[in-house]
């Protein structure tokens, strides 16, 4: 085989892989056309009174938790209590909760016990909160400290869960971004999830494809009791997805909905923090077997990382007269994938608070985003939210 034949065979192999991956992608995106509309805030009725206990895990969240506390105070009587489980913060986080408690007696703060072997801090704090919620609450709602619950959030999510028989529901929030770098990188990282899993508002076809978001994670207390709280996700750095898939595997009905009109979140400050903190868990290897992780990575390579460079390369070859059918097909397919990518960008624009010119440049961050998933797949995190796990 000469040099030219080698590159032709390689191009044909890449094209074949992209065709298969594109078919898989389209089968997922077409389901999204019939997805549930975003949940809307609802006013609580008396029959919801005291049904929900909220648990918020914290570790040095003083700079971010105030909007969360304020948003929870605006929830109605469906909210029985808010337990903030603090992991020995050194920045005054518990003091903010105590101050909030003076105006709203539903708040209380507690400190979790020393982290046991085999546990990651976040699931341990949530498990501690679960063990301490009222036995009269029917629902457990885990919320992250960086969220901004909107009025009517809890009534909305409980209403849909009860009306449609869901045992666990989590919400995709509306993201708050500020700096140019994160406006480019964060949507590209989000797209790695949208390409691999069903759209928010579409029920997963199997437990291995269940998606969940621990920033807003509602579950029947009785279901958590049968799974012994967060025990099955104790050592997971993506405990939300791990627990949700375990719940689905146990035969319970699990949903993942668009909550962009009911909850907002400011996750990370800038592109650097987004790259390190969010990127290290997006491979979801704690919730999947290795074949799924690496299969998904190959899939992302074909439909997200390669389209732009393959489009440019094939356009260059066509310009210089290389009109082989394989080259023409590569150009056409990757032009389609690039247009599809921008179409997806338009579709997710409502998932972001405000707008930025740099948002529309995020497809140029697709290669770094897929690279981040690859790097994360190679290594297990050793640090998370200021804690070391060695």
């Amino acid at each position: 085989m000469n040099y030219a034949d080698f590159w032709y065979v390689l191009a044909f192999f890449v094209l074949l892989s992209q065709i298969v991956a594109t078919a898989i992608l389209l089968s997922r995106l077409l389901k999204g056309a019939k997805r549930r509309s975003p949940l809307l805030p609802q006013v609580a009725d008396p029959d919801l009174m005291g049904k929900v206990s909220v648990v918020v895990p914290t570790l040095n969240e003083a700079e971010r938790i105030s909007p969360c506390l304020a948003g929870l105070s605006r929830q109605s009587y469906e909210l029985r209590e808010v337990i903030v489980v603090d992991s020995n913060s050194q920045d005054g986080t518990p003091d903010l909760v105590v101050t909030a408690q003076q105006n709203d007696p539903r708040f209380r703060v507690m400190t979790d016990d020393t982290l046991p072997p085999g546990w990651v801090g976040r699931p341990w704090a949530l498990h501690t909160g679960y063990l301490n919620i009222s036995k009269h609450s029917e629902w457990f709602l885990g919320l992250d400290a960086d969220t901004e619950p909107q009025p009517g959030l809890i009534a909305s999510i409980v209403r849909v869960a009860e009306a449609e028989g869901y045992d666990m529901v989590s919400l995709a929030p509306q993201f708050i971004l500020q700096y140019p770098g994160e406006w480019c990188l964060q949507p590209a990282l989000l797209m790695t999830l949208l390409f691999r899993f069903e759209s928010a508002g579409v029920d997963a076809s199997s437990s291995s494809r269940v998606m969940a978001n621990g920033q807003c994670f509602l579950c029947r207390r009785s279901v958590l009791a049968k799974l012994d709280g967060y025990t099955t996700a104790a050592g997971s750095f993506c405990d939300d997805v791990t627990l949700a898939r375990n719940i689905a595997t146990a035969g319970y009905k699990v949903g993942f909905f668009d909550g962009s009109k009911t909850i907002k979140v400011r996750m990370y400050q800038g592109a650097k923090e987004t790259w390190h903190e969010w990127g290290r868990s997006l491979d979801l290897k704690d919730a999947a077997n290795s074949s799924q992780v690496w299969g998904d990575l190959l899939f992302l390579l074909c439909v997200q990382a390669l389209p732009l460079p393959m489009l440019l390369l094939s356009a260059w070859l066509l310009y210089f007269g290389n009109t082989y059918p394989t080259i023409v097909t590569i150009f056409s397919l990757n032009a389609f994938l690039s247009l599809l990518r921008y179409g997806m960008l338009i579709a997710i624009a409502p998932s972001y608070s405000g707008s930025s010119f740099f948002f529309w440049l995020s497809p140029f961050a697709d290669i770094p985003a897929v690279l981040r998933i690859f790097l994360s797949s190679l290594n297990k995190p050793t640090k998370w939210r200021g804690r070391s796990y060695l």
Side-chain angles (χ1 to χ4, degrees):
M1 180 182 295
N2 59 37
Y3 186 76
D5 288 341
F6 170 78
W7 285 108
Y8 182 83
V9 171
L10 179 61
F12 182 80
F13 175 76
V14 171
L15 174 60
L16 183 61
S17 299
Q18 284 194 293
I19 290 174
V20 173
T22 300
I24 295 172
L25 176 63
L26 289 176
S27 70
R28 292 171 181 166
L29 296 183
L30 287 174
K31 294 179 183 178
K34 298 180 180 180
R35 69 187 183 275
R36 173 193 301 272
S37 299
L39 295 188
L40 298 176
Q42 293 191 24
V43 177
D45 293 327
D47 62 333
L48 291 181
M49 182 175 293
K51 282 196 171 186
V52 181
S53 288
V54 169
V55 174
V56 183
T58 59
L59 176 59
N60 295 326
E61 300 284 2
E63 294 183 358
R64 305 194 295 177
I65 197 174
S66 292
C68 179
L69 300 178
L72 286 171
S73 287
R74 291 194 292 269
Q75 305 302 308
S76 189
Y77 43 71
E78 71 279 10
L79 174 59
R80 176 182 295 274
E81 61 185 348
V82 178
I83 303 176
V84 177
V85 182
D86 189 70
S87 299
N88 293 292
S89 294
Q90 303 300 309
D91 65 348
T93 297
D95 296 334
L96 295 176
V97 183
V98 171
T99 299
Q101 187 180 22
Q102 295 174 0
N103 298 316
D104 191 334
R106 293 177 296 180
F107 286 97
R108 64 187 172 103
V109 62
M110 61 178 296
T111 301
D112 54 9
D113 294 332
T114 302
L115 192 66
W119 282 82
V120 173
R122 185 177 184 279
W124 173 242
L126 288 164
H127 183 72
T128 301
Y130 153 73
L131 294 176
N132 286 275
I133 64 174
S134 171
K135 302 302 181 183
H136 300 290
S137 292
E138 295 181 27
W139 294 92
F140 166 98
L141 177 58
L143 285 178
D144 278 1
D146 53 10
T147 58
E148 299 182 12
Q150 304 301 297
L153 161 68
I154 297 179
S156 176
I157 190 172
V158 173
R159 274 282 179 227
V160 71
E162 293 190 338
E164 300 184 27
Y166 284 95
D167 300 294
M168 194 230 91
V169 174
S170 65
L171 299 185
Q174 185 178 76
F175 297 100
I176 301 172
L177 305 181
Q178 292 182 1
Y179 306 112
E182 61 183 309
W183 272 106
C184 283
L185 180 61
Q186 203 271 5
L189 289 171
L190 177 64
M191 201 64 64
T192 67
L193 294 173
L194 298 178
F195 278 6
R196 283 180 286 167
F197 305 102
E198 309 292 1
S199 302
V202 177
D203 288 345
S205 55
S206 68
S207 59
S208 64
R209 285 291 161 185
V210 162
M211 190 58 198
N213 178 22
Q215 293 166 333
C216 183
F217 190 99
L218 178 77
C219 187
R220 294 185 189 272
R221 187 174 63 84
S222 60
V223 171
L224 280 180
K226 291 182 179 179
L227 271 72
D228 194 15
Y230 274 73
T231 302
T232 62
S236 177
F237 287 91
C238 55
D239 57 271
D240 46 5
V241 180
T242 299
L243 184 58
R245 291 181 179 179
N246 291 340
I247 291 171
T249 299
Y252 298 103
K253 188 176 180 181
V254 172
F256 180 52
F257 302 154
D258 183 346
S260 58
K261 297 184 181 297
T262 57
I263 187 167
K264 299 181 180 182
V265 62
R266 173 77 176 127
M267 290 175 62
Y268 302 113
Q269 299 289 331
K272 182 178 179 180
E273 190 175 15
T274 301
W275 171 273
H276 285 290
E277 297 297 333
W278 198 30
R280 74 177 66 190
S281 62
L282 282 176
D283 59 348
L284 303 182
K285 58 179 175 287
D286 290 345
N289 58 47
S290 59
S291 61
Q292 182 179 334
V293 170
W294 292 103
D296 282 353
L297 183 61
L298 178 60
F299 170 76
L300 290 175
L301 180 67
C302 290
V303 298
Q304 188 172 355
L306 284 180
L308 186 56
M310 292 297 289
L311 176 64
L312 295 176
L313 176 60
S314 58
W316 181 78
L317 292 172
L318 290 173
Y319 179 79
F320 285 100
N322 295 300
T323 57
Y324 293 108
T326 299
I327 302 301
V328 174
T329 307
I330 288 175
F331 174 82
S332 301
L333 178 62
N334 285 282
F336 170 74
L337 285 171
S338 297
L339 289 173
L340 184 64
R341 174 67 173 82
Y342 269 98
M344 287 294 293
L345 203 59
I346 295 172
I348 68 170
S351 296
Y352 290 88
S353 179
S355 61
S356 170
F357 166 76
F358 295 96
F359 172 77
W360 303 104
L361 298 180
S362 68
F364 292 98
D366 280 348
I367 293 177
V370 176
L371 174 62
R372 187 64 185 91
I373 304 298
F374 171 75
L375 294 175
S376 179
S377 300
L378 290 175
N379 300 293
K380 186 175 180 66
T382 58
K383 293 184 178 181
W384 189 264
R385 292 292 191 185
R387 279 177 163 163
S388 295
Y389 303 90
L390 300 174

